[in-house]
């Protein structure tokens, strides 16, 4: 049994402003912490659609929500496919969408998955184990230049070049089969003085490889943009919980694009309806976990929650 603590649970649920007969989407089901609370708040006419690329999460969810199939639908797909799946279900409008990004506690704790730099696990890191690309393939088959790019860009690691060089040098001698081996290679490539601060020396590189394996950032950007047109024009909301700066930047930039007024000609007396923003910020400044939540769950410390609402554009009214 996994011990999984849902991050920013009340803040996210409050932000979605749930109504009993609404249709809601949890794009990252995980172990169902947010979904369970949404399911409690919707009535008999409401419905929750939850998606996850991890088969283990969906299987656990089907056990958890057994008997609630009339109100809860679980689907094993990456959230970049969620909109098309909803349309296949006959859903063309939703009242709220939640993204709780990143790797889940059960995935980190599962010794067969290879997500943790603290264990000795096979180099896998796939959220969807149907896909062919693994961390092992990235480590062994990707060029030095490609490794530098992802470690620098996705891991925001300033020692990307020596780390990539160390991986390249090691793999020429023997295969790198486990997370412990990779972690030691990364550690050896970082100067001793730099290893004393900033947490585990392999943290940023593992994050980078995981993001690359699962194409996380591109998938998120595509899915976030795709859901905006599906939001109920009478106040549908979208909420994003991110755990590192790259996710948060995408959330902020993408949502802000829909929240901004375009540049208008001077003296324009009335803003045309089709030029008004699609969304408005509920909280432009991200909501962060309380000190009490961080004390009880260290994995919550980097969480950031952003919420936006569909502008009420109907019959010329913009509230």
């Amino acid at each position: 049994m996994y011990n999984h603590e849902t991050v920013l649970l009340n803040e996210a649920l409050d932000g979605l402003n749930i109504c009993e007969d609404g249709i809601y989407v949890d794009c990252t089901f995980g172990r169902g912490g947010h979904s369970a609370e949404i399911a409690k708040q919707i009535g008999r006419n409401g419905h929750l659609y939850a998606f996850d690329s991890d088969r283990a999460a969906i299987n656990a969810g089907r056990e958890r929500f057994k008997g609630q199939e009339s109100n809860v639908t679980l689907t094993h797909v990456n959230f970049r496919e969620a909109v098309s799946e909803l349309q296949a279900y006959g859903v063309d409008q939703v009242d709220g969408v939640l993204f709780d990004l990143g790797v889940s506690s059960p995935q980190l704790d599962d010794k067969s998955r290879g997500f943790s730099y603290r264990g000795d696990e096979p180099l896998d890191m796939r959220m969807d184990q149907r896909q062919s690309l693994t961390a092992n393939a990235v480590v062994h088959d990707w060029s030095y230049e490609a490794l530098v790019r992802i470690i620098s860009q996705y891991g925001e690691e300033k020692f990307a070049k020596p780390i990539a060089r160390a991986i390249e040098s090691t793999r020429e001698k023997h295969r790198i089969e486990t997370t412990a081996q990779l972690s030691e290679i990364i550690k050896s490539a970082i100067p001793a003085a730099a290893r004393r601060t900033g947490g585990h020396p392999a943290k940023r590189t593992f994050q980078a490889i995981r993001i690359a394996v699962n194409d996380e950032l591109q998938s998120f950007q595509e899915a976030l943009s795709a859901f905006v047109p599906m939001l109920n024009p009478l106040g549908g909301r979208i909420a994003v919980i991110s755990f590192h700066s790259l996710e948060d930047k995408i959330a902020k930039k993408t949502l802000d694009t829909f929240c901004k007024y375009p540049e208008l000609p001077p003296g324009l007396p009335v803003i045309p309806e089709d030029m008004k923003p699609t969304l408005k910020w509920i909280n432009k400044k991200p909501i962060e976990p309380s000190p009490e939540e961080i004390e009880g769950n260290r994995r919550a410390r980097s969480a950031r929650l952003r919420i936006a609402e569909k502008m009420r554009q109907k019959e010329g009214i913009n509230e």
Side-chain angles (χ1 to χ4, degrees), residues 66-244:
K66 188 176 290 186
Q68 299 182 55
E69 291 83 1
S70 61
N71 295 101
V72 178
T73 301
L74 300 173
T75 307
H76 178 209
V77 297
N78 184 283
F79 50 51
R80 78 194 319 164
E81 302 171 56
V83 167
S84 61
E85 290 289 328
L86 287 168
Q87 291 169 342
Y89 290 133
V91 177
D92 57 11
Q93 183 173 287
V94 300
D95 296 286
V97 181
L98 174 66
F99 290 87
D100 180 9
L101 300 171
V103 64
S104 69
S105 296
Q107 288 170 328
L108 284 170
D109 296 338
D110 186 337
K111 302 304 180 185
S112 70
R113 304 297 295 273
F115 286 109
S116 176
Y117 45 79
R118 297 187 184 278
D120 190 16
E121 308 167 13
L123 278 174
D124 192 323
M125 299 194 197
R126 291 174 297 172
M127 291 183 177
D128 186 344
Q129 295 190 300
R130 296 172 296 184
Q131 75 176 47
S132 58
L133 182 63
T134 65
N136 193 296
V138 171
V139 166
H140 289 99
D141 301 338
W142 287 25
S143 67
Y144 163 78
E145 291 78 12
L147 290 174
V148 170
R149 178 181 60 80
I150 65 167
I151 295 169
S152 175
Q153 182 178 341
Y154 298 160
E156 299 178 294
E157 172 60 76
K158 64 181 178 180
F159 297 107
K161 287 183 178 180
I163 290 170
R165 188 66 71 197
I167 292 172
E168 183 182 51
S169 175
T170 303
R171 72 190 185 188
E172 289 174 354
K173 301 170 189 172
H174 58 81
R175 291 192 65 80
I176 305 163
E177 299 291 357
T178 70
T179 56
Q181 290 173 330
L182 179 59
S183 184
E184 283 302 310
I185 293 165
I186 295 165
K187 182 178 177 181
S188 70
I190 297 176
R195 295 200 301 262
R196 298 189 190 107
T197 59
H200 196 286
K203 178 180 179 180
R204 290 179 291 274
T205 300
F206 267 63
Q207 172 183 293
I209 295 172
R210 190 202 80 219
I211 288 172
V213 167
N214 298 287
D215 195 21
E216 292 177 34
L217 300 183
Q218 185 64 32
S219 296
F220 170 48
Q221 188 166 20
E222 289 177 13
L224 187 61
S225 298
F227 265 109
V228 172
M230 288 198 77
L231 290 175
N232 185 338
L234 298 178
R237 291 190 176 187
I238 195 160
V240 178
I241 300 173
S242 61
F243 288 85
H244 61 74

Side-chain angles (χ1 to χ4, degrees), residues 261-272 275:
Y261 279 88
E263 292 188 12
L264 301 170
L268 191 69
V270 178
I271 300 174
M275 296 182 71

